[in-house]
Amino acid sequence: MPGRNVAGRRLMAAGLAFAALGDPTRLKIVARLCDDGPSSIVRLCAVADVSRQAITKHLGALQAAGLVGSRRQGRERIWALKAGKLTDVRRYLDQISGQWDRSIERLRARVER
């Protein structure tokens, strides 16, 4: 079943994204990139009171989840969000929300009978 394989890959990708966003420091980094746009590691260090090495590690986890990417600009590496990946995560959350809404509605109908 090809459709199941695609759905499974989407679920795995969403799981990686949710795991990456589950860390408060990584969530702050994503929020900063959303608010301020592409940024260097030096500027991202101001987001959380952590070292440059820690920010680098967090960016690596976000990159592995497909949420951020980087490019060289002179001697610095500039990090930016991958908006498409965030859209995929949002779509998955909307799907889960819809499933919960339908389940609650079925429960409500059953209780009212």
Side-chain angles (χ1 to χ4, degrees):
M1 301 236 152
R4 284 195 123 186
N5 195 18
V6 170
R9 283 195 304 269
R10 285 184 183 153
L11 181 61
M12 288 293 294
L16 288 172
F18 289 128
L21 293 171
D23 181 89
T25 301
R26 289 193 284 266
L27 195 54
K28 286 179 186 177
I29 291 169
V30 168
R32 173 74 181 260
L33 291 172
C34 277
D35 291 343
D36 299 340
S39 185
S40 69
I41 290 176
V42 172
R43 290 195 323 226
L44 290 171
C45 284
V47 170
D49 194 21
V50 295
S51 68
R52 182 183 173 107
Q53 291 81 8
I55 292 291
T56 300
K57 183 177 175 183
H58 287 299
L59 286 167
L62 290 168
Q63 186 174 34
L67 294 167
V68 299
S70 68
R71 63 178 165 73
R72 276 250 180 250
Q73 183 175 319
R75 292 177 43 193
E76 291 187 307
R77 184 161 291 282
I78 304 299
W79 292 86
L81 286 176
K82 291 188 174 179
K85 186 65 169 188
L86 287 176
T87 301
D88 292 345
V89 169
R90 175 57 191 236
R91 205 173 293 133
Y92 192 71
L93 284 174
D94 289 344
Q95 179 184 350
I96 292 170
S97 177
Q99 290 170 344
W100 272 99
D101 290 345
R102 289 186 296 278
S103 294
I104 290 171
E105 192 54 43
R106 284 192 306 270
L107 178 61
R108 179 179 296 130
R110 184 173 221 156
V111 168
E112 289 175 355
R113 278 191 245 154

